[in-house]
Amino acid sequence: MRPSNGVRTFSAQDTQVAFPLGGIGTGNVSVGARGDLRDWEIFNRPGKGAMLPNTFFALRTKIGNNLAVARVLEGPVQPPHNLSHGYHPWTAMGLPRFAEATFRGEYPFARVDFADDALPVHVQLEAFTPFVPLDPDKSGLPCAIFTYTLVNLSSEVVQLTIAGSLFNAVGGVAFDAFGNIAAGGLGLNINDLREEADLRGLHLRSEQYAPGSLLYGDMSLATTHPNVTVKQAWLRGAWYDFLQEFWDDFSADGLLTDLGYSSPSDIGKSDTCTLGLVDTLAPGEQKAYPFLLTWFFPNRTNSWDNNPGAPLVRNHYAGQFSSSWDIARYLVGHLPSLEADTRRFHAALFGSTLPDYVLDALSANIVPVRSTTCFWLEDGRFFGFEGCFDKAGCCEGNCTHVWSYAQTLAYLFPSLEREMRRIEFIVETEPSGYMYFRTHQTFGSRFVWGWGDREPEAAVDGQMGSILRVYREWLLSGDRAWLEAVWPGVKRAIAYAATRWDTDRDNVLDGRQHNTYDIDFYGPNPLCTVYYLAALRAVEELAHIMSEPELAQRARAAFDAGSRRADELLWNGEYFVQRLDDVNAYKYQHGDGCLSDQLLGQLYARLLGLGDLLPEEHVRSAVGSVFAHNFKRDFRDHVNCQRTYVLNDEAGLLLCTWPRGGRPSLPFVYSDEVWTGIEYQVAAHLIYEGLMEEGLQIVKAVRDRHDGVRRNPWDEVECGHHYARSMSSWALLLALSGFHYDAALGSIAFAPAVQKDAFRCFFSAGTGWGSFGQQSEQDMLSASLTLGYGHLELQRFGLQPAWVARTVRANINGKPLPARLEHSDGGAQIGFEQPLKLIAGDRLEVALTRLSTNES
Amino acid sequence: MRPSNGVRTFSAQDTQVAFPLGGIGTGNVSVGARGDLRDWEIFNRPGKGAMLPNTFFALRTKIGNNLAVARVLEGPVQPPHNLSHGYHPWTAMGLPRFAEATFRGEYPFARVDFADDALPVHVQLEAFTPFVPLDPDKSGLPCAIFTYTLVNLSSEVVQLTIAGSLFNAVGGVAFDAFGNIAAGGLGLNINDLREEADLRGLHLRSEQYAPGSLLYGDMSLATTHPNVTVKQAWLRGAWYDFLQEFWDDFSADGLLTDLGYSSPSDIGKSDTCTLGLVDTLAPGEQKAYPFLLTWFFPNRTNSWDNNPGAPLVRNHYAGQFSSSWDIARYLVGHLPSLEADTRRFHAALFGSTLPDYVLDALSANIVPVRSTTCFWLEDGRFFGFEGCFDKAGCCEGNCTHVWSYAQTLAYLFPSLEREMRRIEFIVETEPSGYMYFRTHQTFGSRFVWGWGDREPEAAVDGQMGSILRVYREWLLSGDRAWLEAVWPGVKRAIAYAATRWDTDRDNVLDGRQHNTYDIDFYGPNPLCTVYYLAALRAVEELAHIMSEPELAQRARAAFDAGSRRADELLWNGEYFVQRLDDVNAYKYQHGDGCLSDQLLGQLYARLLGLGDLLPEEHVRSAVGSVFAHNFKRDFRDHVNCQRTYVLNDEAGLLLCTWPRGGRPSLPFVYSDEVWTGIEYQVAAHLIYEGLMEEGLQIVKAVRDRHDGVRRNPWDEVECGHHYARSMSSWALLLALSGFHYDAALGSIAFAPAVQKDAFRCFFSAGTGWGSFGQQSEQDMLSASLTLGYGHLELQRFGLQPAWVARTVRANINGKPLPARLEHSDGGAQIGFEQPLKLIAGDRLEVALTRLSTNES
């Protein structure tokens, strides 16, 4: 079914497919499996199900004097057809369309192949928005590029017009009960035809709103194709005249008649416009026809709740461009290089030897970064919701306990993560070390979790996670100025944990411990304490870096004592449990339950090279127990009185089970649920602990559930769409490749956990990204690092041969490079005499050979 | 696939199935293919998609000391699973449920078979609301009866509890963005346990609303089963405690623990309650477990737009009952006879020899009568929308031009149709003969169809249709007092047509002719003129009855002249067309198009025995042309810029085509659409004209489209759900059986158009209904009339042998009955010496024998 290392294809029947285009902080429009445009979310708010009227691509072909054929460039409409008034004409569902559409998505590229025997051409759409890891600006353009490539399959010349129609939605479209377009904020809309040397198209704007208005903005549909035909405004008639006139005009001769309206639309109304690309194709000829869709809606409310009365802020992109036409013009000059970088990223990620479902999990969960879950302000501040309701952000404020699971953004856009740490430790951490876990200091409102007027508890896991993430950001950046800025907050935050939550001062947390399950744990429990132990280790390392040896020592001492005490208290012989005399004394505990998140802190320690937080064999046993007890291959008999994410014959990992009994009468909310963000963190941890098969099974189960019929492969839902926690999937790449990087030390290391004989994967290391490869024969291990983008300064390169290495050889772009084996126990570390400075396109190769003895 | 004369079965995958329970004017709750309760519409407004939290049936079984098994009594949840926050706990989607559900709907009975290997029983649900044609009161009870029949498949005794849970929604339930239950109008809700001799259960009410309040009302869930267990209110806890506590309690021992709340719910909150039926089943034993669901929401707004500020009126049922418990109590006494009558109706309708898809079309389109499309007030007034939006009625006021297509209500509940005619001709027809086609006189508001402030045009087709329907209602009732009351209005209405629309006085209408396509036709056109000709004929007949021979003569003269003139003007050699010098001089005409509705007036003449309105051979050719040109077997190449109801590889009948060219640039809106109400009227007319195969093909196409995956088989949509025009399907029964009835003359006649050798069908004739059967051998035709309900006075019985009859014999309930052949040319008419008075259960048999000559 799935081609190896390929990614699934989808047909028109896979109605849940919605592949989001759009940049960081720009909003999105998605492509469906039929090639349709859906979920218009470019107006600074989520819009699942939001359609734009009259907005579709269409193709007309004609050979000689044969009848012309015109088709909407979409696959067949799928059931159910259950609307109370049928499909409204603005959906164009009544127009003929292609017989088949085949969709393939390899983020950031979507491809749709259209087939229909009635047309003499094959049509392929490729759609994307430039995506260049490490460069948020290049990845944050409010645009989508649609390229239709046509091949003339006939033996005669084909005349063709490809037309893109777009509704001018500036001001905001609404619909009445019949589905007719209602006033909304529409009115005084006008579509200008603009032609420049290499760019021509339509600029859709409104004269109703001033630049400072929330509703101000514009959209453009443009092309670099030289020969165009244009209708600036569809017929302003009654009933369904608009579509009838357009389709008759288009299908008659492929040339559009402009109706000559010179005034903007009336208040409450707007116009649709069409840009057609006109050409002929010789027999067998293939040509690409590009459309540039750009948008510019600069203003959004500075509010987590989309309150229209709140003060406005400007999107990051609004500081760089003045209009959507300005963006289109920028693209004309820069698209070739943006596209080349984007293709290099795609090739590096999908050119991997990793299993297809792993690539799927990695790439699909880049989406939250560029979805409406995140936004990015003109002043550089970057924020995320937890996820999104259909029409609004859901659960505000860089929620620390959710975002702590996320790894994707940190490795792809580390500057944005450093910005989030800056906000957490400089703005959101009080002198006491109490950290607002939802950036409520920033926005001036305090979120209270339904518990009356009290200040919410700080979140233990979120606060510890933020400390760990400071260390992660440091490793990836070596940015000392930034570290110095956040460091005082880090010290206060860890001190707060020790005093507030460790009430008996035994270095195991036991107080009231608010956490990501939106409840409070009481007493010693693995989630909070292991997270705390990991944070102590991070503080120890950071203290060394900050030349505070006394603090480092204290942190170490607390860690050592806490680690011993935690193992004594929490280990049940198989996994770690919560210790409470009466598990029902408080609601929503887990007690003897086997918690999937029990070792999340230990996973962080693996990711960041912080070592074992608890006895290694206990860790391995516990992670294995999580898989053994919590991974269910079938949910038909599962009893879940909470929210349901997995059901029927699907497989998934439960948040908690009670294999030895002791289930509380009301266990913590969410305990019987399945969250992809936790599935990925457990899968990555299983891989780190050598339980490869188990880890991969979980990943495959998650992605099998997102099959286009049941769920959208590009939307992992938890408490909202594009849920931030799902970005834990990037840990899979780190675990499978054994990637470690320390910018300050100039060291990079890989230790593939699979396919060691022939391994290839993407890596991203702070200032550069590219592809790592490894080939292993009996006595030789050759590895290569190809930099696709940016630069990378290296002094050390670590590899993990199955034996003790004897010699090393290295070259850069084929040129020999002096290198030495710094040590070869427990992995080989190669040192370079001069710090290497790789730039994009460089290829570093090293080869290790084995000792002549029989050691291995 | 489909068993002959059986009706389709559906599986859980058929997600569009929603079979409405509920009476005339009571609202509905529907059963889905999974056996789930959906679309709660009992609160005096439509509610497609409206769910009640925590409302489901569940079963627990236990054998000896084996583990108990508990399951929600529903089939598996179907994809997509695309909610932003998963399924909320109040949906209970996370609980185990049956592996399979098989649904079968034969209106008014729904049946669901549940299968699961984990349980030792087979479970079958039968759900219905009493339905007794000719008795609107018996068919207008706000209740649904759910009977679960269990068979113990094991060899051991099974202990069981079947529990129905119901949310107290009095006041109105709402949901917040997370799907949590929000305040709405809830509060001070309380669920009383009530036990009486033969009835016990829960009465769900609220102390917040006075009897005169729009939100006042109550619901009951009761049973006649002796042994019950009850939880009056689920746990009033936090988070998802409610479901956890209920399910744990239920599945632990099958006995429910009442939590002892003594006060009503807080303002903004409500409670769920559960009624469990406890029993044991011996090996092989089968038993039925009944639940009675009743509701009482007496008040609705006297407004077509659900304006909550409008004055209130009371539902018809509110005049007969005082509460839902009162209704439950009534059912205990009356259900046996109500159920017996309902089963007799079902047996008469589905025991027919007609093709399954015809039975499907007849029965499924009874639904609009009992859907939220219609309502019935305490003062006896009966009204219908055109159809329904998901949450509101759509297009108000007994719309004459839509309802004129409907036949179902007239034959099943003729008193309600007479009431509609009363409103039309006594309230809504002005002295000028202008008829408000949306009962705007009744409701004091004037609907203006988007054309500024002008009085809307009267609708030609609606006004003529109402005249024809007066004649239909007269034939079915012979109600002279009623006819005398409406007759003056009828005379004014036909005179208005002659003066207003026949501007050149040639008896062919040519003025501005507003009609059911929501536009105005200009000039001579078949829809309006043929309707007018039919109305003239009806007036002629009525004038004779009213002893106004001069009027009868004038009507006849106008008809004769108009018929000749229409044929001269409109006949194009193949079908009838609109005559306009320039078809584009006015927008939205049809000109040379072949209109599916061109002979709707002639169909009425067939239904009512008014004869040929135009040359017989022209009629037959035109109806055949409609099929030949307008019935499309595939819509993939169809260009439709209007609303889309049929698509892809489906088949359907277009409203108009232009086989000879001449399509206007903007033809009338809806011309490229497909409406089931028109498909049925054309199908019936094809059958009348002898084009049997063609007529049946159309019917099959409609019902094939309503397959449970694409559309709900019990909801034919046009401009709204449960669209009134779809009730034209009853004309199929009239055409196929050749049914004619004249109450005043005491004559009934049948002339089966299919299966003449062995024919059986349902009939309904004003005061009684039952089953007609005919057996034909070479020289003998035997027929029977079995009265299932009511009474029927007969003086004449018409049959249609294929030959000239020689002798007749008759008996009633086996007792010989004197009868004579009154004439036998063009069908045999049998006269009885004494007027026969059949009562329910009577069976009349007649046998004709053939002339001994070779005539046929």
Side-chain angles (χ1 to χ4, degrees), chain B residues 192-203 220-228 230 275 292 294 322-333:
Chain B
D192 299 325
L193 173 61
R194 299 183 69 160
E195 302 203 58
E196 303 180 1
D198 296 317
L199 183 68
R200 51 206 61 81
L202 291 152
H203 181 218
S220 294
L221 183 63
T223 187
T224 54
H225 185 77
N227 190 10
V228 301
V230 167
L275 172 67
L292 312 178
T294 60
S322 61
S323 74
S324 62
W325 192 259
D326 189 28
I327 297 160
R329 203 184 269 145
Y330 170 87
L331 286 174
V332 172

Side-chain angles (χ1 to χ4, degrees), chain A residues 840-854:
Chain A
D842 281 350
R843 178 178 172 89
L844 169 69
E845 292 179 331
V846 297
L848 296 169
T849 48
R850 194 178 184 180
L851 271 183
S852 51
T853 68
N854 269 343

Side-chain angles (χ1 to χ4, degrees), chain B residues 464 507-508 528-538 558-564 566 613-614:
Chain B
M464 298 304 98
N507 301 298
V508 166
C528 296
T529 278
V530 180
Y531 236 137
Y532 176 56
L533 294 175
L536 284 170
R537 281 285 294 113
F559 165 76
D560 286 338
S563 172
R564 278 192 306 273
L613 306 180
L614 290 158

Side-chain angles (χ1 to χ4, degrees), chain A residues 359-660:
Chain A
L359 298 177
D360 204 25
L362 295 175
S363 59
N365 290 302
I366 297 170
V367 168
V369 174
R370 301 216 293 180
S371 75
T372 48
T373 292
C374 296
F375 59 94
W376 191 18
L377 302 185
E378 193 177 17
D379 63 12
R381 290 185 298 166
F382 179 84
F383 296 100
F385 296 95
E386 290 184 32
C388 296
F389 291 116
D390 288 356
K391 311 282 181 201
C394 174
C395 296
E396 58 268 43
N398 296 2
C399 177
T400 57
H401 59 66
V402 170
W403 276 80
S404 275
Y405 292 72
Q407 304 298 336
T408 308
L409 184 67
Y411 288 85
L412 294 179
F413 299 100
S415 63
L416 298 178
E417 283 275 4
R418 290 201 298 281
E419 166 60 14
M420 291 177 97
R421 295 302 84 69
R422 184 190 69 75
I423 293 170
E424 282 157 14
F425 287 101
I426 297 177
V427 184
E428 299 290 337
T429 301
E430 292 198 341
S432 68
Y434 170 100
M435 180 189 288
Y436 289 89
F437 65 85
R438 288 191 186 278
T439 63
H440 286 297
Q441 298 285 77
T442 306
F443 289 98
S445 72
R446 289 197 184 184
F447 177 85
V448 176
W449 187 241
W451 296 320
D453 292 320
R454 282 193 291 114
E455 180 173 83
E457 284 294 317
V460 179
D461 49 353
Q463 191 153 334
M464 298 304 97
S466 289
I467 293 170
L468 285 157
R469 293 184 291 162
V470 165
Y471 185 53
R472 179 186 67 190
E473 272 58 282
W474 162 258
L475 290 176
L476 283 166
S477 70
D479 184 340
R480 193 152 188 111
W482 167 83
L483 180 59
E484 284 170 359
V486 299
W487 178 236
V490 171
K491 289 191 287 185
R492 295 201 306 280
I494 192 80
Y496 181 89
T499 54
R500 173 86 180 182
W501 294 312
D502 178 11
T503 64
D504 60 359
R505 301 295 184 271
D506 67 348
N507 301 298
V508 166
L509 306 188
D510 53 12
R512 175 176 168 182
Q513 298 154 72
H514 186 66
N515 61 59
T516 200
Y517 312 127
D518 297 328
I519 48 76
D520 303 335
F521 282 156
Y522 292 87
N525 69 88
L527 171 66
C528 295
T529 279
V530 180
Y531 236 136
Y532 176 57
L533 294 174
L536 285 170
R537 280 286 294 113
V539 167
E540 181 194 355
E541 297 295 332
L542 288 165
H544 283 304
I545 291 153
M546 293 302 292
S547 306
E548 298 189 26
E550 196 266 344
L551 173 59
Q553 198 175 10
R554 271 193 289 128
R556 183 71 202 194
F559 165 75
D560 286 339
S563 171
R564 277 191 306 275
R565 180 74 180 139
D567 194 54
E568 283 165 24
L569 275 173
L570 307 180
W571 179 246
N572 79 349
E574 186 191 0
Y575 50 86
F576 298 95
V577 298
Q578 180 189 23
R579 292 301 181 195
L580 276 176
D581 289 339
D582 173 8
V583 76
N584 289 315
Y586 304 94
K587 273 168 125 178
Y588 313 130
Q589 306 301 300
H590 73 87
D592 290 338
C594 178
L595 185 73
S596 282
D597 272 340
Q598 62 185 277
L599 289 172
L600 179 54
Q602 178 65 69
L603 170 66
Y604 252 111
R606 295 274 177 264
L607 290 168
L608 304 180
L610 294 172
D612 294 329
L613 306 180
L614 290 157
E616 194 181 355
E617 64 280 16
H618 289 184
V619 166
R620 195 183 143 99
S621 165
V623 176
S625 297
V626 165
F627 180 82
H629 300 307
N630 297 4
F631 185 68
K632 280 183 76 79
R633 287 166 185 80
D634 190 304
F635 274 66
R636 280 175 280 207
D637 287 332
H638 178 56
V639 173
N640 170 18
C641 295
Q642 305 172 357
R643 297 169 306 177
T644 300
Y645 295 102
V646 175
L647 65 174
N648 297 337
D649 59 353
E650 298 179 325
L653 184 84
L654 293 169
L655 263 64
C656 195
T657 60
W658 285 265
R660 300 172 169 214

Side-chain angles (χ1 to χ4, degrees), chain B residues 483-641:
Chain B
L483 180 58
E484 284 170 358
V486 299
W487 178 236
V490 171
K491 289 191 287 186
R492 294 201 308 279
I494 192 81
Y496 182 89
T499 54
R500 173 85 180 183
W501 294 311
D502 179 11
T503 65
D504 59 1
R505 303 293 185 269
D506 67 348
N507 301 298
V508 166
L509 305 188
D510 54 13
R512 176 176 166 183
Q513 297 154 73
H514 187 67
N515 60 60
T516 200
Y517 311 126
D518 295 329
I519 48 78
D520 302 337
F521 281 157
Y522 292 87
N525 69 88
L527 171 65
C528 296
T529 278
V530 180
Y531 236 137
Y532 176 56
L533 294 175
L536 284 170
R537 281 285 294 113
V539 168
E540 181 193 354
E541 299 294 332
L542 289 166
H544 282 305
I545 291 153
M546 295 302 293
S547 307
E548 298 190 24
E550 196 266 340
L551 173 59
Q553 197 175 12
R554 270 193 289 129
R556 182 73 203 191
F559 165 76
D560 286 338
S563 172
R564 278 192 306 273
R565 180 74 180 140
D567 194 54
E568 283 164 24
L569 275 173
L570 308 181
W571 178 245
N572 78 348
E574 186 191 0
Y575 50 86
F576 297 95
V577 298
Q578 180 189 24
R579 291 302 180 194
L580 276 176
D581 291 338
D582 174 6
V583 75
N584 290 315
Y586 304 94
K587 273 168 122 177
Y588 313 130
Q589 306 302 300
H590 73 87
D592 290 337
C594 179
L595 186 74
S596 282
D597 272 340
Q598 62 185 276
L599 289 172
L600 180 53
Q602 178 65 71
L603 170 66
Y604 253 111
R606 296 275 176 264
L607 291 168
L608 305 180
L610 295 172
D612 295 327
L613 306 180
L614 290 158
E616 193 180 356
E617 64 279 17
H618 290 184
V619 167
R620 195 183 142 99
S621 164
V623 176
S625 298
V626 165
F627 180 82
H629 300 308
N630 297 4
F631 185 68
K632 281 184 77 75
R633 287 166 185 81
D634 190 304
F635 274 66
R636 279 173 282 206
D637 287 332
H638 178 56
V639 173
N640 170 19
C641 295

